[in-house]
């Protein structure tokens, strides 16, 4: 294949643009913000799970407290009824009075036990309320961290999109100046090898960075200026300039 040397040199500009587009694609996949978002999402989920657990424990203790409060109120109501019964003088016998007094003693003991349990449960509830609030704050902080990471990611992606659009416009301008057959060869090599063309500079291929041996260098040197030559190592188009040292 033959192509004007000036056109071949356009392939170097095209290779630079394609290399930058590859870097954009690679950076888009490997943004540090993506890893930060993943870590922030996992941390947020863990804190949300902790909040649910804390709220569940608080709910359980709160129900126990309300049950004990209800039982205490029932015991007090029963005690109040018995005392009124004693004070009314309506009991017909001493045996009935003894039974009521015995029940009052039983109720007093029961009330003491319930109030002790209630005090312990209320202390637990207070501690769990603090735990719930502390965990809720941790969730809010984790949400803020995730939002910040996502915002940084979006800014980075916007910059990459801008750079990519600029490079694609440059590429469009370059490919319009390269013959179809040469462009097709360049694109095929780039697709298979990663780099389509490189500058031959001081006996070294600019695509694979390998130095040409004497035989290969002699072959390139003997080729006509408009001949499209390729690197024997990587297959990229070797673009010759005054820097090639031929």
């Amino acid at each position: 294949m033959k192509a004007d040397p000036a056109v071949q040199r356009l392939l170097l500009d095209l290779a630079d643009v394609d290399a930058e587009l590859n870097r954009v694609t690679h950076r888009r996949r490997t943004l540090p913000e993506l890893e930060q978002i993943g870590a922030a999402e996992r941390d947020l989920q863990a804190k949300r799970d902790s909040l649910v657990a804390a709220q569940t424990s608080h709910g359980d203790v709160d129900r126990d407290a309300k049950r004990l409060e209800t039982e205490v109120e029932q015991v007090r109501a029963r005690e109040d009824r018995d005392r009124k019964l004693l004070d009314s003088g309506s009991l017909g016998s001493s045996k009935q009075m003894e039974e009521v007094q015995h029940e009052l003693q039983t109720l007093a003991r029961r009330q003491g036990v319930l109030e002790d349990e209630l005090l312990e449960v209320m202390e637990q509830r207070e501690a769990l309320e603090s735990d719930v609030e502390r965990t809720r704050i941790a969730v809010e902080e984790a949400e803020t961290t995730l939002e910040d990471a996502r915002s940084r990611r979006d800014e980075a992606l916007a910059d990459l999109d801008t750079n990519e659009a600029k490079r694609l416009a440059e590429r469009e301008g370059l490919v319009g100046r390269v013959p179809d057959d040469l462009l097709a060869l360049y694109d095929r090599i780039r697709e298979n090898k990663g780099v389509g063309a490189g500058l031959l500079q001081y006996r070294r291929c600019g695509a694979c960075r390998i130095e040409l041996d004497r035989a290969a260098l002699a072959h390139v040197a003997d080729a006509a200026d408009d001949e499209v030559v390729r690197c024997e190592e990587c297959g990229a188009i070797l673009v010759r300039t005054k820097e090639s040292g031929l």
Side-chain angles (χ1 to χ4, degrees), residues 55-103:
Q55 290 172 330
T56 300
S57 297
H58 177 268
D60 293 341
V61 172
D62 188 56
R63 282 190 294 274
D64 288 342
K66 290 178 180 177
R67 175 183 56 80
L68 289 169
E69 287 171 348
T70 299
E71 291 185 21
V72 169
E73 289 301 320
Q74 290 173 344
V75 169
R76 287 174 178 172
R78 182 70 177 271
E79 181 185 23
D80 184 60
R81 187 199 66 181
D82 286 352
R83 290 193 181 281
K84 288 180 179 179
L85 186 60
L86 279 177
D87 294 340
S88 69
S90 61
L91 296 175
S93 65
S94 59
K95 183 179 180 181
Q96 288 178 320
M97 293 180 63
E98 288 177 2
E99 289 176 350
V100 172
Q101 288 173 344
H102 178 71
E103 183 173 316

Side-chain angles (χ1 to χ4, degrees), residues 37-57:
I37 287 172
E41 287 175 339
R42 291 189 294 272
D43 182 58
L44 175 57
Q45 186 58 55
K47 286 182 168 57
R48 283 175 173 170
D49 291 342
S50 296
L51 177 58
V52 170
Q55 290 172 330
T56 300
S57 297

Side-chain angles (χ1 to χ4, degrees), residues 179-231:
D180 291 343
D181 56 348
L182 181 61
L183 180 62
L185 175 62
Y186 167 86
D187 284 337
R188 185 168 65 253
I189 297 171
R190 180 172 64 89
E191 183 177 343
N192 294 330
K193 303 294 185 177
V195 181
L199 172 65
L200 175 60
Q201 187 176 30
Y202 306 117
R203 303 179 58 179
R204 190 178 301 275
C205 171
C208 64
R209 311 306 301 169
I210 295 178
E211 187 173 309
L212 276 66
D213 59 30
R214 288 186 177 182
L217 192 63
H219 172 73
V220 172
D222 290 341
D225 290 344
D226 61 351
E227 184 72 25
V228 176
V229 296
R230 298 173 60 180
C231 174

Side-chain angles (χ1 to χ4, degrees), residues 77-168:
R78 182 70 177 271
E79 181 185 23
D80 184 60
R81 187 199 66 181
D82 286 352
R83 290 193 181 281
K84 288 180 179 179
L85 186 60
L86 279 177
D87 294 340
S88 69
S90 61
L91 296 175
S93 65
S94 59
K95 183 179 180 181
Q96 288 178 320
M97 293 180 63
E98 288 177 2
E99 289 176 350
V100 172
Q101 288 173 344
H102 178 71
E103 183 173 316
L104 284 172
Q105 293 173 357
T106 302
L107 290 173
R109 289 194 297 272
R110 176 60 177 163
Q111 181 175 334
V113 171
L114 289 173
E115 287 177 343
D116 287 344
E117 291 182 6
L118 178 59
L119 179 60
E120 181 179 349
V121 170
M122 290 179 69
E123 289 175 350
Q124 293 177 2
R125 182 171 63 181
E126 184 177 353
L128 286 170
E129 285 174 352
S130 298
D131 190 30
V132 168
E133 182 60 24
R134 182 170 56 254
T135 309
R136 181 180 290 112
I137 292 174
V139 167
E140 292 173 353
E141 291 174 347
E143 288 173 340
T144 299
T145 298
L146 177 57
E147 290 173 2
D148 290 344
R150 285 174 173 170
S151 178
R152 292 194 302 274
R153 176 205 58 191
D154 292 344
E155 290 176 2
L157 287 176
D159 289 342
L160 290 174
D161 289 344
T162 299
N163 189 17
E164 183 178 54
K166 178 181 177 181
R167 298 303 179 183
L168 286 173

